[in-house]
Amino acid sequence: MVGAGQLARMTSQAATGLGIGFRVLADSATDSAAQVCAGTVTGDYTSLSDLRAFAARCDVVTFDHEHVPAPHLAALEQAGRQVRPSAAALRYTQDKLAMRDRLSGLGVPCPRYATVTDQADVSKAAADWGWPIVLKAVSGGYDGRGVWVCQTPAEAAAVLAHPVRVFAEEHVGFDAELAALVAPAPGLPASRAVQAQRIALEVAGELGVTGLLAVELFSTSAGLLVNELAMRPHNSGHWTIEGARTSQFEQHLRAVLDLPLGDPRAAAPCVAMANVFGGTDPGVYARYTHVMAADPGVKLHLYGKSVRPGRKIGHVTALGDDMPGARERAVRAAAYLATGEE
């Protein structure tokens, strides 16, 4: 796995249970996965020579982020390396404008969008859709980075002044943000009935994805709109470690290695997961014994990261018989870890 963040850290745990030899290409020995993975190689994912040396020792190469340069991925494939998902599929997570063009061409519901190069282009889009206008970086953005909600022409002009290629998108007033996770093995046909699953499976099939695919969607009064794609384990699926019979991390490994997929059904009637963010008090690791004692059924996952305000450093999962109760337990535990307050 190229990258050694928390996704690689949790994937390494799934690999251990399956008896799969697992290596990560880490930026440094302090990366989240590098702290726990015996097969850690330190290198630069933007260096083709480092990638080639790493891939030479692997049967399959997969990823915990989308930032490996596309020409490098193509070079690995041309050298006969198994890259999963493929460079052709990963293009649609690396180039958001290409993703919009491809999905729209398939008839997949997406927000309205337009290519823009100057203020006149943005003003034209705003005349059609109204303000605010969303400007998105074509490449390099993730987890909200590279996204600007512009309320006025002046705010849009400030974004356009940056040396970043962007496109414009309508501002969507959504009721909820959803994510559908699928894990196609090679050759799985895209045909299912439930709308969110159908969209995710259609995208996976049409783009030729192998491995876990997360399709982020906006739920609106008019239906579902696809927002983003991630071809790797995804934050919205961390609950599956305890909450499903097969975790998203194990499913990803099974898929990229062309192994039979595991049972995805839930392990309890209700499962809730809450992220743990760093606050001004760094004493998170001193507090987790109190969380364990207060609610032995809550499962804690800390990523080995230093604590700073706003940084995601872990998550907690609670299983139960009713969703409000499970959610309240998970949120309470996460809040106490972050702040020390109930």
Side-chain angles (χ1 to χ4, degrees):
M1 182 167 270
V2 177
Q6 63 260 26
L7 299 179
R9 182 184 179 109
M10 288 180 273
T11 305
S12 73
Q13 295 164 356
T16 298
L18 291 172
I20 294 170
F22 187 77
R23 295 187 175 95
V24 295
L25 181 63
D27 290 334
S28 76
T30 62
D31 287 355
S32 182
Q35 297 174 30
V36 299
C37 181
T40 295
V41 177
T42 303
D44 181 358
Y45 66 83
T46 66
S47 163
L48 181 55
S49 61
D50 284 1
L51 286 168
R52 280 178 166 155
F54 179 70
R57 302 175 59 195
C58 303
D59 295 311
V60 174
V61 178
T62 190
F63 311 90
D64 90 335
H65 60 70
E66 294 86 17
H67 306 306
V68 177
H72 294 1
L73 298 174
L76 293 180
E77 290 181 330
Q78 290 165 6
R81 302 300 175 195
Q82 289 281 1
V83 175
R84 291 181 174 169
S86 68
L90 283 165
R91 178 190 176 208
Y92 299 107
T93 66
Q94 297 179 324
D95 185 324
K96 291 182 172 59
L97 186 55
M99 176 197 71
R100 282 283 179 261
D101 288 342
R102 184 77 168 96
L103 296 186
S104 296
L106 294 171
V108 174
C110 297
R112 291 175 293 180
Y113 70 101
T115 56
V116 294
T117 57
D118 55 29
Q119 186 67 44
D121 291 337
V122 175
S123 297
K124 182 178 183 301
D128 293 334
W129 310 332
W131 294 93
I133 287 288
V134 178
L135 296 181
K136 286 188 174 182
V138 172
S139 62
Y142 69 100
D143 286 349
R145 298 175 179 86
V147 178
W148 298 270
V149 179
C150 301
Q151 303 287 343
T152 64
E155 290 183 7
V159 174
L160 293 170
H162 298 149
V164 177
R165 185 180 172 218
V166 299
F167 66 99
E169 198 168 85
E170 68 173 319
H171 185 264
V172 176
F174 58 91
D175 304 314
E177 189 174 12
L178 311 176
L181 303 180
V182 291
L188 181 70
S191 56
R192 294 294 186 272
V194 178
Q195 187 183 16
Q197 293 176 333
R198 179 189 60 76
I199 290 171
L201 287 166
E202 180 182 359
V203 169
E206 294 289 350
L207 302 188
V209 179
T210 296
L212 198 90
L213 170 69
V215 179
E216 299 177 17
L217 308 110
F218 293 137
S219 176
T220 75
S221 58
L224 297 178
L225 297 174
V226 173
N227 180 37
E228 301 282 359
L229 304 178
M231 297 179 189
R232 50 166 172 77
H234 190 259
N235 183 71
S236 63
H238 290 353
W239 64 270
T240 61
I241 296 174
E242 291 85 21
R245 298 186 184 187
T246 308
S247 76
Q248 66 164 344
F249 303 98
E250 181 176 334
Q251 291 286 42
H252 183 72
L253 288 171
R254 286 176 178 240
V256 300
L257 292 169
D258 202 11
L259 298 171
L261 298 182
D263 185 346
R265 287 179 294 174
C270 297
V271 186
M273 185 272 290
N275 291 322
V276 178
F277 294 95
T280 56
D281 180 355
V284 171
Y285 292 91
R287 285 192 287 274
Y288 76 170
T289 54
H290 301 290
V291 172
M292 292 177 179
D295 189 344
V298 166
K299 299 298 184 182
L300 279 64
H301 296 266
L302 298 177
Y303 304 154
K305 294 182 173 182
S306 59
V307 178
R308 63 171 181 259
R311 187 186 200 187
K312 189 171 72 174
I313 56 173
H315 72 269
V316 296
T317 305
L319 281 64
D321 294 323
D322 66 279
M323 184 55 73
R327 182 182 292 117
E328 192 275 334
R329 289 165 56 215
V331 169
R332 183 177 67 238
Y336 183 78
L337 284 169
T339 66
E341 298 177 1
E342 294 285 350

